[in-house]
Amino acid sequence: MTLDLSRFQAKGIETCFHGRHVGAQIYAGLDGRNWRYADYVARGGYTALRKILGLDGGPGMTPEQVIAEVKASALRGRGGAGFPTGLKWSFMPRNFPGAKYLVCNSDEGEPGTCKDRDILAYNPHIVIEGMAIAAYAMGIRTGYNYIHGEIFEIYERFEQALDEARAAGMLGERIGGSEFSFQLHAFHGFGAYICGEETALLESLEGKKGQPRFKPPFPASFGLYGKPTTINNTETFAAVPWIINHGGQAYLECGKPNNGGTKIFSVVGDVNQPGNFEIPLGTPFAKLLELAGGVKGGALKAVIPGGSSAPVLPAKVMMDLTMDYDAIAKAGSMLGSGAVIVMNDTRCMVKSLLRLSYFYQHESCGQCTPCREGTGWLWRVIHRIEHGQGRPDDLALLDSVAANIKGRTICALGDAAAMPVEGMLKHFRDEFAHHVEHKTCAVPQYV
Ligand SMILES: Cc1cc2nc3c(=O)[nH]c(=O)nc-3n(C[C@H](O)[C@H](O)[C@H](O)COP(=O)(O)O)c2cc1C
Ligand code: SF4
């Protein structure tokens, strides 16, 4: 039976062909049509894989040399937590006797984020090559790419790219005639946000309900089917061929210390030209805003700099920030998935938070009490504040519920639900207090 998933398909415009990238590596040279194997090879694709395997007469690279290069690059995971990729790869037990797995996280459910979708649609071979290099470095023979269920056409495109890579001998048994074999498969989820959490993803990949596992044990020792597994984000794998071709040091120098390379930001919300922008880490936020055509419909009020889980930051903080993991963390938020949600001064923060909190209470998998009960509790309190029924102690109640979710749950979805509440109350408490006291909004257009 053919499964008709057409009603789940995204119908957005292509978001990465505007040419306003700075030093692009992953999106460089894409036009929407040149996604095929031959196009990728014409752009220099698969040279990194050929280089490590010594297919073009070079000495090749040992797995240890590949990992050392990725470590030197200061590549940090692009899925949200920013964990150093080379270090993660070094956790994989090299001499484990049984099966080991490599998994690409293309679930991309974080509100505002749409960068991985464009990588897979318009440059799928860069992910295949990155995964093959990772597999070689960690001695893995089997991999899966877990693709978000609501972008089914991307899943189909990736399947086509896999067929092409297999036909060209860049995937499968004895790649390019070398001793290295790697089988890669595509898998599609069904659109649950929680399946982006790595252990929920593994459960889902095993055919079970997508609910996070307790950690430890971590996937490096107990992952897919209980075997050692390394999971990285789509953009993380896509960064690897450039690192191998140009060297870890060159990649590091594209960004700033501890924040190597370029990063793709999905700039959404109140901007004139939303889209995906690939820029060096450490680029000023003001420059990114300019690339996105500036603020639309009013003055800049606030920005959520790293996907909806990241605490909001006011305009004056953002305008002095550079876009990198360390600078944003120092300012009290996080770079997360790289979705930059821009809000102008006609936005009511209570209403915005109501929408965010609805999302988290809806997406909680329900396994742990603080998240299951707390996310709904947050939403109900914000709902009554927004609708003129706020109580005098509601802001303190929000503080308390958020604080009691954080750090008390199996996975980080609990924190992801609490942090937007904390950020809004930290920077825009007056707006919430106004709603409670006056039963109406402080933003003129909503009064
Ligand atoms: C609720 C939740 C949702 C997540 N969603 C994603 C996602 O859609 N894509 C992703 O790559 N990582 C997501 N993550 C992070 C993954 O658990 C994991 O850290 C990441 O895939 C590791 O890859 P990286 O090291 O390359 O960033 C999510 C985490 C949580 C807690
Ligand atoms: S924190 Fe929430 S989403 Fe994560 S396991 Fe617990 S109930 Fe599920």
Side-chain angles (χ1 to χ4, degrees), residues 74-85 87-88 105 110 113 115-116 193 196-198 215 218 231-236 258-259 263 281 306-307 309-310 324-326 328-329 333-339 411-413 415-416 419:
L75 171 65
R76 294 172 63 168
R78 306 304 197 215
F83 192 83
T85 304
L87 185 61
K88 184 185 274 192
N105 188 342
E110 184 75 9
T113 321
K115 65 187 177 66
D116 297 340
Y193 173 64
E197 195 281 334
E198 58 189 15
K215 290 190 276 189
F218 291 93
I231 308 177
N232 278 120
N233 171 257
T234 318
E235 187 186 348
T236 313
N258 200 34
N259 296 261
K263 169 86 188 85
L281 281 168
S309 314
D324 58 83
Y325 294 93
D326 296 339
I328 298 179
S333 188
M334 57 187 200
L335 185 137
S337 64
C411 87
L413 189 142
D415 288 18
M419 286 187 299

Side-chain angles (χ1 to χ4, degrees), residues 194 212 363-369 371-372 409-414:
I194 193 57
E363 296 295 335
S364 168
C365 87
Q367 272 192 112
C368 25
T369 308
C371 174
R372 184 185 62 242
T409 55
I410 295 173
C411 87
L413 189 142

Side-chain angles (χ1 to χ4, degrees), residues 163-303:
D163 283 345
E164 288 185 323
R166 287 181 195 120
M170 289 293 114
L171 274 183
E173 289 302 310
R174 298 179 58 85
I175 290 177
S178 71
E179 295 296 308
F180 171 58
S181 301
F182 178 54
Q183 306 287 350
L184 178 57
H185 311 278
F187 182 95
H188 73 81
F190 281 85
Y193 173 64
I194 193 57
C195 286
E197 195 281 334
E198 58 189 15
T199 59
L201 184 153
L202 294 177
E203 289 284 297
S204 174
L205 198 48
E206 290 181 8
K208 301 178 195 155
K209 186 155 60 170
Q211 289 188 314
R213 300 173 180 168
F214 281 101
K215 290 190 276 189
F218 291 93
S221 57
F222 188 92
L224 188 63
Y225 305 115
K227 303 295 181 190
T229 301
T230 296
I231 308 177
N232 278 120
N233 171 257
T234 318
E235 187 186 348
T236 313
F237 285 122
V240 171
W242 198 98
I243 294 170
I244 298 301
N245 279 326
H246 299 87
Q249 185 62 27
Y251 187 83
L252 172 61
E253 286 165 9
C254 291
K256 62 185 259 194
N258 200 34
N259 296 261
T262 60
K263 169 86 188 85
I264 301 170
F265 292 96
S266 305
V267 185
V268 299
D270 296 322
V271 287
N272 288 304
Q273 293 167 304
N276 287 322
F277 298 88
E278 186 174 353
I279 56 173
L281 281 168
T283 301
F285 167 73
K287 174 72 185 169
L288 181 60
L289 189 59
E290 186 191 316
L291 292 172
V295 186
K296 186 175 78 177
L300 183 66
K301 178 173 184 174
V303 178

